[in-house]
Amino acid sequence: MKSFGFSWTPAPDLPKIGGKTFVDWRYGIHDMALSKERGYKPDAAQQDAYDAAMNAGALDGLTGGADSQTLEGGGAKEVNGKKVPNGGCIGQANRMIDAEAAQTSTAQQISAETFTRSKADARVVKAFAAWSSCMKKKGYNYKEPLDASDDPRFSSREVTSEEISTAVSDIECRNSTSVAKVWFDAETELQKRLIEEQAEQLNQESDALDAAVKKAADVLTGTR
């Protein structure tokens, strides 16, 4: 971008919101103190910081004109007397690190597949039924644990007393039935099986990603 006369830095990352890890909320809520205050919503301070960043734009400083077109390669073939590479500066950067060869979709596919398949495991079906029965005794009619947090009544920004009472009951029933632990164990077994079956592909993708990262480091240090 600099060679074309433009100054560009990537947009800053948005503040973290919600679960503390990738799987923290995978099976639903578990923080009773937070749920008593926010129901199924994230921490208020996290939400405010995230909203402020979104309102500020979290932009990369581009104007949407020639600079944006040079970055993405969607405009003029030549800018400031210099030919724009195919796909813009992003396309050139991707080719330099062979980004196309570093596509690592297998792990994500396994994660999505096991999440769905684990819900059909007999142990999980039994745990779901126990959780659902517990919730019904408290006056709620949900088939699966995530049905409660996905209830359209709780989709607004406002935290209602009904949402809080539902979330608190949800956690109480989760704790009494160990539904999250049962679900986690069942999915872990599936993941281990698929990881073993697809180990060669996963290793190839891991090696390709490592190679791309090394090439990117070499580009940044000027050795490539």
Side-chain angles (χ1 to χ4, degrees), residues 25 29 35 38-42 135 145 148-149 154 163 166-168 170:
W25 285 6
I29 59 171
S35 293
R38 297 281 294 166
Y40 292 104
K41 305 289 193 299
M135 287 292 282
S149 55
F154 310 142
E163 178 179 350
T166 303
V168 168
D170 184 356

Side-chain angles (χ1 to χ4, degrees), residues 27-95:
Y27 309 108
I29 59 171
H30 53 79
D31 188 331
M32 180 63 85
L34 178 61
S35 293
K36 285 182 177 179
E37 180 183 349
R38 297 281 294 166
Y40 292 104
K41 305 289 193 299
D43 176 79
Q46 286 186 356
Q47 186 69 65
D48 289 343
Y50 184 87
D51 291 343
M54 288 293 289
N55 290 334
L59 301 175
D60 57 12
L62 296 180
T63 66
D67 53 357
S68 299
Q69 294 169 358
T70 302
L71 178 68
E72 300 170 356
K77 300 299 182 182
E78 188 174 297
V79 174
N80 294 335
K82 184 176 179 180
K83 184 179 178 181
V84 176
N86 184 36
C89 291
I90 289 178
Q92 183 183 62
N94 284 337
R95 287 189 293 276

Side-chain angles (χ1 to χ4, degrees), residues 16 30 37 68 104 108 112 119 130 142 147 188 199 211:
K16 293 185 180 300
H30 53 79
E37 180 183 349
S68 299
T104 55
Q108 288 82 3
K119 292 195 288 185
Y142 297 110
D147 290 346
T188 298

Side-chain angles (χ1 to χ4, degrees), residues 140-204:
Y140 304 99
N141 188 24
Y142 297 110
K143 183 179 179 181
E144 299 181 358
L146 296 185
D147 290 346
S149 55
D150 291 341
D151 193 321
R153 293 177 299 167
F154 310 142
S155 62
S156 70
R157 298 297 297 272
E158 179 186 4
V159 180
T160 65
S161 58
E162 182 179 20
E163 178 179 350
I164 290 174
S165 62
T166 303
V168 168
S169 295
D170 184 356
I171 292 180
E172 289 174 346
C173 288
R174 286 171 175 277
N175 291 341
S176 66
T177 61
S178 299
V179 65
K181 178 67 166 57
V182 173
W183 194 356
F184 171 83
D185 289 343
E187 186 177 18
T188 298
E189 288 180 14
L190 278 171
Q191 288 179 343
K192 287 180 177 179
R193 191 181 313 148
L194 291 183
I195 288 170
E196 184 176 349
E197 291 174 359
Q198 302 182 53
E200 183 177 355
Q201 178 65 26
L202 288 166
N203 287 332
Q204 289 175 355

Side-chain angles (χ1 to χ4, degrees), residues 88-148:
C89 291
I90 289 178
Q92 183 183 62
N94 284 337
R95 287 189 293 276
M96 291 177 74
I97 66 172
D98 200 8
E100 188 172 336
Q103 299 303 310
T104 55
S105 61
T106 302
Q108 288 82 3
Q109 290 170 357
I110 289 175
S111 176
E113 180 180 345
T114 58
F115 183 79
T116 301
R117 286 177 56 185
S118 63
K119 292 195 288 185
D121 184 284
R123 295 163 296 178
V124 177
V125 171
K126 182 178 179 180
F128 279 9
W131 174 88
S132 180
S133 175
C134 175
M135 287 292 282
K136 186 165 291 188
K137 291 175 182 176
K138 294 177 180 289
Y140 304 99
N141 188 24
Y142 297 110
K143 183 179 179 181
E144 299 181 358
L146 296 185
D147 290 346

